Amino acid sequence: MSRFYLALSFSLVSVANIAGATETFSIQLQGTLPVTAPADTFILDLADTSRKTIAHYQAQGTRVICYFSAGSFEDWRDDAGAFPKALIGKPLGEWPGEYWLDIRQIAQLMPIMERRMDMALEKGCDGIDPDNMDLQTQDTGFAISGADQITYARALAETAHRKGLRIGLKNDLEQVPELASLFDYAVNESCMRYDECDVLTAFRDQGKPVYAIQYDDGPVPRCAGAAQFDFSFSYATRDLEVPTSPCP
């Protein structure tokens, strides 16, 4: 859902090594990026982040996970013309210019997603964060079932692994039992707010990281309750214009 160019600001000069026993993570999808890596793992927009910027953070010991939407069409992306019109459904209400995709049409969608994965490889991303992976729960304009979503998720995971990329499961909590073994980590939004974090322990039980974002727009304040889970929590505003702050 990012739509602004990510620029790396060199107004700061200090560069610190990432250290600490507990992994931290941060996510920023638009705005000016900091020079110093804000966490052990940093999620950045795939299309808007240069290979040089990714290498800059990796040189500080930070893993860079690259974000793209696998379940929605964004009309400002450079590859927007590659999507057949028949695959574009209802709009995402909060995000102008973004529309749900008919993920049942895997034969037409996967070549586009493969090209995005190839871009991730070319830029040196340590992994990918494909967003909007719970279409069976959304008003997409298509009759997408839970089985359809699992089939698409499997195709993405298998393709990423074939290319040597790590891949995370974004949200889609109701299908974690079926999908946790196929993905390398989980990226979640607001599990604490909706009392859903317990589901994600399936990843930690397999020794896989959970990157959990808490937004500052709900009844649960910032890092409240985070200590009870062995997850990497970070709190943020929804525009994601600055790096999110890791919970202690």
Side-chain angles (χ1 to χ4, degrees):
M1 297 172 185
S2 164
R3 59 171 66 229
F4 295 106
Y5 176 73
L6 286 164
L8 182 63
S9 169
F10 286 92
S11 60
L12 301 175
V13 294
S14 64
V15 177
N17 290 326
I18 298 298
T22 301
E23 180 181 5
T24 60
F25 101 98
S26 182
I27 178 171
Q28 182 179 354
L29 298 184
Q30 53 190 5
T32 300
L33 295 172
V35 167
T36 302
D40 301 315
T41 295
F42 201 6
I43 301 179
L44 299 170
D45 188 89
L46 168 62
D48 292 344
T49 309
S50 70
R51 180 173 182 171
K52 180 180 179 181
T53 297
I54 292 169
H56 173 82
Y57 289 125
Q58 290 169 332
Q60 299 177 39
T62 290
R63 288 175 293 278
V64 177
I65 294 174
C66 295
Y67 167 100
F68 64 87
S69 181
S72 70
F73 167 81
E74 301 160 310
D75 64 9
W76 63 91
R77 297 296 188 183
D78 289 344
D79 62 358
F83 290 85
K85 291 183 178 180
L87 271 60
I88 302 172
K90 290 185 177 181
L92 279 69
E94 297 180 54
W95 306 98
E98 190 165 2
Y99 304 83
W100 296 111
L101 286 169
D102 187 355
I103 60 165
R104 300 171 300 176
Q105 311 306 322
I106 290 180
Q108 297 179 72
L109 275 182
M110 282 309 299
I112 301 171
M113 299 304 153
E114 282 202 54
R115 287 193 290 273
R116 291 181 173 184
M117 292 182 195
D118 289 339
M119 180 188 295
L121 286 170
E122 291 165 7
K123 291 188 174 185
C125 305
D126 294 299
I128 54 175
D129 171 26
D131 197 10
N132 296 308
M133 291 293 288
D134 55 357
L135 282 85
Q136 79 282 4
T137 69
Q138 307 292 337
D139 182 16
T140 63
F142 306 111
I144 295 173
S145 67
D148 295 327
Q149 182 64 61
I150 287 178
T151 298
Y152 185 50
R154 284 181 179 275
L156 289 168
E158 290 169 0
T159 301
H161 290 152
R162 188 175 71 247
K163 292 177 179 292
L165 275 171
R166 296 172 72 241
I167 181 172
L169 180 66
K170 186 68 162 282
N171 298 324
D172 195 17
L173 292 178
E174 70 178 32
Q175 296 183 335
V176 164
E178 290 88 355
L179 295 175
S181 63
L182 296 176
F183 287 79
D184 303 297
Y185 45 87
V187 182
N188 177 266
E189 297 171 293
S190 304
C191 74
M192 194 68 70
R193 178 179 181 181
Y194 298 110
D195 194 23
E196 298 171 330
C197 296
D198 284 339
V199 179
L200 294 165
T201 58
F203 279 88
R204 297 302 293 147
D205 289 346
Q206 296 179 38
K208 299 175 179 180
V210 175
Y211 304 115
I213 307 162
Q214 296 202 118
Y215 293 111
D216 280 346
D217 61 357
V220 178
R222 294 196 169 184
C223 298
Q228 66 183 293
F229 294 99
D230 186 19
F231 300 165
S232 298
F233 277 95
S234 189
Y235 65 87
T237 55
R238 284 192 177 272
D239 56 22
L240 297 176
E241 288 187 353
V242 296
T244 61
S245 299
C247 292

